[in-house]
Amino acid sequence: GESVGLHLPTLSVQEGDNSIINCAYSNSASDYFIWYKQESGKGPQFIIDIRSNMDKRQGQRVTVLLNKTVKHLSLQIAATQPGDSAVYFCAEFTYGGATNKLIFGTGTLLAVQP
Amino acid sequence: NAGVTQTPKFQVLKTGQSMTLQCAQDMNHNSMYWYRQDPGMGLRLIYYSASEGTTDKGEVPNGYNVSRLNKREFSLRLESAAPSQTSVYFCASSEYAGGGYTFGSGTRLTVV
């Protein structure tokens, strides 16, 4: 079945370093991919998305890379800050008329050490 | 900016009790969703409403019902709560199916 998974359940980085969070997906027909950040006790918050016809997209301090050949997605956070500490989810979306749905991965905990 | 508002924030139920989780959004979004989140797992879609007047099952609909009361409100009902329904429930909305989702802050439900 369709699935979205993460390679590393926990990532610990030093403040100021760059962080890379990885995600593998299985549905090659997915239309776009989204990264969410979830802080403790809060709902997921949209970070950045990327369409399936793109391989890179940049936001403020974040970059998402998409490698469709190996079905791999990554989120790069530059100059990681303590406020970046959270669980990060990748999600894939497939248009299907009545069956449009967003499938989430299990999440990676990013811990930023001061 | 309220965004997506969920009530209640916390709830404890006894097995067999019923309750309704409320969700309202003030962004004039067309689509609304209910997810559950269990420890160590990603969010799983329970039900969604692509537009006012329509509802559809997601990945894990058993034991739940929904009502899209109007464009703003989408409620989730547990008719006979079971311990397996202990979870954190998130409501979300998007301008259209597939658009960027805005999530509420969640309802933590415990069934004993």
Side-chain angles (χ1 to χ4, degrees), chain A residues 4 9 12 14 16 18 31 38 42 44-46 53 59 61 63 74 78 83 88-89 93-94 103 108-109 112:
Chain A
V4 177
S12 184
Q14 292 294 124
N18 296 333
D31 296 290
Q38 186 176 24
K42 298 183 179 180
Q45 180 182 12
F46 173 90
N53 61 353
R61 282 201 307 119
T63 301
S74 68
Y88 289 80
F89 293 94
F93 186 86
T94 306
I103 299 174
T108 292
L109 174 62
V112 181

Side-chain angles (χ1 to χ4, degrees), chain B residues 1-18:
Chain B
N1 294 334
V4 177
T5 302
Q6 292 183 235
T7 57
K9 293 188 181 303
F10 301 94
Q11 183 71 49
V12 178
L13 290 178
K14 293 182 179 179
T15 297
Q17 287 186 315
S18 62

Side-chain angles (χ1 to χ4, degrees), chain A residues 74-90:
Chain A
S74 68
L75 177 69
Q76 301 178 4
I77 304 174
T80 312
Q81 303 168 1
D84 294 327
S85 294
V87 177
Y88 289 80
F89 293 94
C90 65

Side-chain angles (χ1 to χ4, degrees), chain B residues 8-106:
Chain B
K9 293 188 181 303
F10 301 94
Q11 183 71 49
V12 178
L13 290 178
K14 293 182 179 179
T15 297
Q17 287 186 315
S18 62
M19 79 160 295
T20 299
L21 281 63
Q22 306 288 351
C23 175
Q25 52 91 9
D26 62 1
M27 298 169 284
N28 202 36
H29 283 172
N30 291 304
S31 301
M32 298 185 72
Y33 314 84
W34 276 105
Y35 285 86
R36 60 177 288 173
Q37 185 176 34
D38 301 300
M41 300 182 70
L43 286 81
R44 292 182 293 169
L45 182 64
I46 305 171
Y47 269 94
Y48 68 100
S49 172
S51 61
E52 186 179 357
T54 68
T55 60
D56 288 284
K57 295 179 179 179
E59 302 170 68
V60 288
N62 292 343
Y64 306 94
N65 284 300
V66 291
S67 295
R68 184 73 183 267
L69 303 172
N70 47 56
K71 192 171 186 179
R72 291 187 63 247
E73 298 173 286
F74 188 40
S75 62
L76 178 71
R77 183 160 178 84
L78 286 70
E79 290 291 351
S80 179
S84 62
Q85 294 179 304
T86 293
S87 188
V88 181
Y89 290 85
F90 288 99
C91 177
S93 70
S94 63
E95 186 174 357
Y96 54 89
Y101 287 30
T102 300
F103 283 84
S105 57

